[in-house]
Amino acid sequence: MESGPAVFAGLVFALFGGGLLLWTVVRVRHREPVAQGVNPVASATLAGLAAIAALLLGTWCFLHV
């Protein structure tokens, strides 16, 4: 019973983190801005760190099932 919310949360975190990481990599490779009006290096770094944090949270949720 208690593993259902953990699986759902892990799936949401994993999908969000993977999507954000993929989107950030594509934007950087095409030399397009990750965020408008922000330093390109800082925005790519912050988006990458947020994506990795979401993937780690998803992994943590799956490990506690």
Side-chain angles (χ1 to χ4, degrees), residues 9-56:
L11 183 63
V12 169
F13 279 125
L15 286 175
F16 174 74
L20 181 60
L21 190 60
L22 178 67
W23 180 80
T24 303
V25 167
V26 168
R27 297 292 287 188
V28 169
R29 284 197 177 187
H30 287 131
R31 300 193 191 276
E32 296 175 357
V34 176
Q36 289 295 105
V38 182
N39 183 351
V41 174
S43 62
T45 302
L46 186 62
L49 289 175
I52 291 170
L55 287 171
L56 288 174

Side-chain angles (χ1 to χ4, degrees), residues 2-15 52-65:
E2 296 156 354
S3 65
V7 170
F8 178 74
L11 183 63
V12 169
F13 279 125
L15 286 175
I52 291 170
L55 287 171
L56 288 174
L57 278 171
T59 303
W60 182 78
C61 287
F62 285 132
L63 290 176
H64 283 81
V65 172

